[in-house]
């Protein structure tokens, strides 16, 4: 991967060079070559332009308010530093998307610490939007992630400008940049929430002083969650150790979430406050671990916490607070006594307290319904399921692990049980954030969730900044929002009958192209993406996904319906 450095040319000279670059033309003889491999494929330092498509024009589609990315590879033909920049984008009607809405970020590979310490490290390509200067080496390729944020009030139409690289000596490489703005804003996906599990905005051991100190960074975190399509927060309990009436940490998180527009239900992981956290030898360093569980005391404390929270929520007009009392109760397999305590006692009894008080509780469900992971530490793969059955009547939101339940149960069976009891079925798939399967990130957060009727899509944990995987999670959520927008326009009887019929046919073909296994999962996300983006009929010899082509189809449907 090419390295970067900060250039410091005189401001006037740089401004003149950039202006010249953005208004003209062809690359100099030794200028860099711009090419793209699409947003789904990583760019390597040794990549040649022949591994992608040479960029003669950057063409994007977006709705008002949408973030739309473009992956740009810059191949050096000589040593030198270049600065990225864009002009204002103008429509024929004189409307403007300012050049400042076009953000370029250098991409580099690193390990990020995240907000939960060492255990949440994510190794991925990360984006640095503060650096716009690229140091090129002959024969090597640098990677730049370009994002256009279309203003909320942008009018529909074709907006055109230029993207350019300007060298220290004034040489330039410039290509047209065109954004087709659609005539409607993207709709929310009805009845579905998106969240990252347990990023600690203010930290576990906080005071009024540290909350004030961390507020700017916490606000940045929550804004980033919002910009990446999240609708609600799932904060880790930050009011430990429990003191009667003290919920200042929760209040800080909820108030900040409301401020930035994360207004969905709050999944509050407050297990430490009632001594329900994983314990035993493997988790002896955890706060509020279940080794200290006292049934009479901790159930009474839970009831008091609920009443305190509900009073504060009513006073401050908070969104619903959902109480997550246990995380993965079946993982305590190295200590059978503790595992039984969490599955047989803590989980069902805390959930029943919540149910009796008229509030909703949730847990993350992994080993109780998953034979493959039971076998990891348990000799009898079915032994946890009967213990999980004790909690079924009271678990209002079940967040199933690895994207789907497996083993003797499956997605259809669990979904039917949720429907019968009036419960919600959510999912978490950590590989969709912490891994580098780009197709998993996009499909899991988007079209897979639409196909299975998920009511919540989540993953653990926050990657500590903008990563390529996190960017594609947002693109997946946007895919689902494009579907929701088309469905909404059809329901509103927008467009002609013929346009509605064509849009329905598109969605039917799209749904049919999403093939699931018996557990309701997708085993090879890349192969599934290729089939889905070509609506089940990839052209001969084409085995790669083309999300841009699928987006053009959906954009055409939206414009047809919106006329």
């Amino acid at each position: 991967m090419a390295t970067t450095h900060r250039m410091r040319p005189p401001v006037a000279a740089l401004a003149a060079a950039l202006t010249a670059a953005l208004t003209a033309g062809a690359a100099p003889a030794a200028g860099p070559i711009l090419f793209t491999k699409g947003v789904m494929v990583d760019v390597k330092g040794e990549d040649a332009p022949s591994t992608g498509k040479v960029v003669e024009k950057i063409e994007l589609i977006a709705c008002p308010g949408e973030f739309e990315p473009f992956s740009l590879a810059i191949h050096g033909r000589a040593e030198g530093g270049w600065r990225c920049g864009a002009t204002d984008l103008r429509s024929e009607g004189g409307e403007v998307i300012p050049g400042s809405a076009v953000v370029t970020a250098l991409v580099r590979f690193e390990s990020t610490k995240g907000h939960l310490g060492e255990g949440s490290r994510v190794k991925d390509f990360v984006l640095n939007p503060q650096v716009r200067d690229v140091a090129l080496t002959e024969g090597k390729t640098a990677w730049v992630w370009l994002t256009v944020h279309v203003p909320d009030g942008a009018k529909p139409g074709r907006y055109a400008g230029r993207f350019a690289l300007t060298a220290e000596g004034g040489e330039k490489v410039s290509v047209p940049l065109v954004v087709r703005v659609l005539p409607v804003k993207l709709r929310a996906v009805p009845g579905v929430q998106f969240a990252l599990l347990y990023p600690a905005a203010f930290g576990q051991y906080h005071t009024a002083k540290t909350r004030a100190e961390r507020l700017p960074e916490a606000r940045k975190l929550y804004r980033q969650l919002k910009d990446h399509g999240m609708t609600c927060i799932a904060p880790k309990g930050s009011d430990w150790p429990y003191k009667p009436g003290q919920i200042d940490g929760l209040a800080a998180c909820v108030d900040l979430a409301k401020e930035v527009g994360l207004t969905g239900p709050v999944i509050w992981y407050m297990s430490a406050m009632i001594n329900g956290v994983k314990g035993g030898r493997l988790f002896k360093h955890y706060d509020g671990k279940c080794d200290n569980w006292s049934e009479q005391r901790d159930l009474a404390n839970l009831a008091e916490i609920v009443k305190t929270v509900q009073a504060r929520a009513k006073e401050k007009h908070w969104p619903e607070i959902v109480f997550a009392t246990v995380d993965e109760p079946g993982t305590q397999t190295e200590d059978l006594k503790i595992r039984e305590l969490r599955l047989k006692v803590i989980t069902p009894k805390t959930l029943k307290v919540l149910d009796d008080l008229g509030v909703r509780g949730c847990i993350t469900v992994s080993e109780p319904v998953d034979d493959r992971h039971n076998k990891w530490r348990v000799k009898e793969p079915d032994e946890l399921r009967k213990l999980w059955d004790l909690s079924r009547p009271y678990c209002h939101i079940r967040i199933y692990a690895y994207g789907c339940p497996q083993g003797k149960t499956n997605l259809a069976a669990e979904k039917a049980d949720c429907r019968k009891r009036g419960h919600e079925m959510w999912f978490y798939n950590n590989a969709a954030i912490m891994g580098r399967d780009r197709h998993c990130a996009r499909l899991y957060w988007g079209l897979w969730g639409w196909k299975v009727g998920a009511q919540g899509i989540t993953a653990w944990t926050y990657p500590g900044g903008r990563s390529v995987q996190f960017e594609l999670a947002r693109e997946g959520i946007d895919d689902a929002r494009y579907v929701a927008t088309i469905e909404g326009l059809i329901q509103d009887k927008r467009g002609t009958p013929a346009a509605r019929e064509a849009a329905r046919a598109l969605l039917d073909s799209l749904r049919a192209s999403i093939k699931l296994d018996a557990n309701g999962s997708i085993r090879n996300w890349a192969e599934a993406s290729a089939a889905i983006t070509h609506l089940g009929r990839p052209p001969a010899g084409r085995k790669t996904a083309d999300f841009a082509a699928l987006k053009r189809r959906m954009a055409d449907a939206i414009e047809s319906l919106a006329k």
Side-chain angles (χ1 to χ4, degrees), residues 5 43 47 50 72 98 105 112 129 136 168 175 182 244 251 315 322 342 390 407 429 462 470 496 532 559:
H5 71 273
V43 174
D47 283 342
S50 59
L72 183 66
T112 63
L136 296 180
E168 292 173 292
V175 293
L182 301 182
E315 173 192 348
V322 179
R342 297 184 80 225
L390 298 174
N429 188 336
Y462 174 65
F470 198 16
T496 64
I532 290 166
E559 286 192 324

Side-chain angles (χ1 to χ4, degrees), residues 174-190:
S174 174
V175 293
L177 171 58
V178 178
V179 180
R180 171 185 168 194
V181 177
L182 301 182
V184 297
K185 293 191 69 172
L186 285 180
R187 302 193 185 195
V189 184

Side-chain angles (χ1 to χ4, degrees), residues 193-216:
Q193 302 295 335
F194 300 94
L196 293 185
L197 298 178
Y198 316 149
F202 294 96
Q204 182 95 336
Y205 309 102
H206 67 90
T207 63
K209 181 176 183 295
T210 58
R211 280 201 305 276
E213 291 172 349
R214 288 183 61 102
L215 181 60

Side-chain angles (χ1 to χ4, degrees), residues 107-372:
V107 185
R108 65 190 185 278
F109 189 83
E110 66 177 43
S111 177
T112 63
K113 190 172 182 179
H115 275 60
L116 293 177
E118 296 295 326
S120 67
R121 281 194 177 275
V122 174
K123 292 183 178 180
D124 195 5
F125 289 98
V126 299
L127 283 60
N128 186 348
Q130 279 72 47
V131 179
R132 295 189 296 123
D133 301 322
V134 186
L136 296 180
T137 301
E138 183 178 359
K140 295 293 183 180
T141 296
W143 189 6
V144 168
W145 195 266
L146 185 149
T147 306
V148 178
H149 183 199
V150 178
D152 283 338
K155 292 184 178 180
R158 182 178 179 275
Y159 291 72
R162 297 193 75 84
F163 172 82
L165 297 175
T166 304
E168 292 173 292
E171 300 91 348
K172 63 271 186 186
V173 175
S174 174
V175 293
L177 171 58
V178 178
V179 180
R180 171 185 168 194
V181 177
L182 301 182
V184 297
K185 293 191 69 172
L186 285 180
R187 302 193 185 195
V189 184
V192 182
Q193 302 295 335
F194 300 94
L196 293 185
L197 298 178
Y198 316 149
F202 294 96
Q204 182 95 336
Y205 309 102
H206 67 90
T207 63
K209 181 176 183 295
T210 58
R211 280 201 305 276
E213 291 172 349
R214 288 183 61 102
L215 181 60
E217 195 65 25
R219 182 178 287 114
K220 180 181 177 182
L221 162 64
Y222 277 13
R223 282 178 176 164
Q224 194 166 94
L225 296 181
K226 176 71 163 50
D227 288 347
H228 281 76
M230 304 301 142
T231 61
C232 60
I233 59 169
K236 187 177 181 180
S238 51
D239 291 290
W240 186 90
Y242 170 65
K243 299 182 184 67
Q246 296 296 312
I247 57 167
D248 291 343
L250 173 66
C253 292
V254 177
D255 290 342
L256 185 57
K258 285 180 60 181
E259 175 190 317
V260 303
L262 292 161
T263 55
V266 174
I267 306 296
W268 185 32
Y269 179 46
M270 44 74 69
S271 185
M273 298 172 70
I274 55 169
N275 297 295
V277 173
K278 298 172 185 176
R281 177 178 54 82
L282 287 181
F283 306 101
K284 62 183 179 181
H285 57 293
Y286 281 15
D287 295 324
K289 55 185 177 291
C290 60
D291 307 61
N292 302 318
W293 168 262
S294 169
E295 183 171 320
Q296 183 175 358
R297 177 198 65 204
D298 289 317
L299 292 182
N301 285 346
L302 175 59
E304 184 177 307
I305 290 167
V306 170
K307 292 173 184 176
T308 300
V309 168
Q310 291 301 91
R312 184 77 66 91
K314 183 177 181 181
E315 173 192 348
K316 301 193 72 175
H317 305 288
W318 282 355
E320 178 191 11
I321 309 297
V322 179
F323 298 82
T325 58
V326 182
D327 177 51
E328 296 180 342
T331 58
Q332 223 71 35
T333 47
E334 89 293 344
D335 188 323
L336 299 185
K337 288 184 179 179
I338 287 181
R339 190 197 67 192
E340 185 165 292
L341 171 66
R342 297 184 80 225
L343 263 173
K344 191 174 183 178
V345 179
I346 298 177
T347 303
K349 291 195 175 186
T350 56
L351 291 174
K352 187 176 186 305
V353 166
L354 299 174
D355 189 63
D356 290 343
L357 290 171
V359 298
R360 294 202 293 173
C362 80
I363 63 168
T364 45
V365 188
S366 54
E367 280 75 359
V369 294
D370 184 337
D371 280 352
R372 179 167 64 90

